[in-house]
Amino acid sequence: MAKFPPDVLAAIAEREEVEIETGGRRTIIWIVAHGPHVFVRSVRGERGRWYRDLLADPNATLHFRGKPKLPPVKVRGVHAPDPESIAASTRALKAKYARDPALKSMLQPETLPTTVRLELR
């Protein structure tokens, strides 16, 4: 598995949100890194359109708004509902979004199984 470049990991750490392009649509989402792993989770649980699209076709593109400008990053989503991935992404979400009142939405039992690990493609 290819590692995310340092500039992409820095952008993930610095930006509150990114856009994920799935099924020809872009959706604004939260994104976190825990060690070398990058995770996303659907705040709408299994009803999330981007999440359903990603399960149907794991190829997606991340778009980073703001500065520094980054080119789109092509990724592949790997459904990661295992306890280790859920725990790692939850720790990263709590650390990154601790002051955001919307954090509790991402920690609900129905959202936990929608954890996805992103890999470079």
Side-chain angles (χ1 to χ4, degrees), residues 40-112:
V40 294
R41 184 180 288 169
S42 173
V43 71
R44 292 195 169 111
E46 293 181 359
R47 296 173 315 191
R49 182 68 184 247
W50 71 264
Y51 172 75
R52 290 182 286 130
D53 287 347
L54 195 61
L55 290 184
D57 177 0
N59 296 315
T61 304
L62 297 177
H63 299 274
F64 293 86
R65 299 179 296 177
K67 296 193 184 215
K69 179 79 171 142
L70 287 177
V73 176
K74 295 189 179 297
V75 295
R76 180 176 182 276
V78 178
H79 191 212
D82 58 281
E84 294 82 15
S85 295
I86 289 172
S89 60
T90 296
R91 281 192 300 277
L93 284 162
K94 286 179 177 180
K96 184 174 179 180
Y97 300 102
R99 294 192 171 130
D100 194 315
L103 173 62
K104 62 183 173 185
S105 305
M106 295 297 276
L107 307 177
Q108 298 301 310
E110 62 272 11
T111 65
L112 300 179

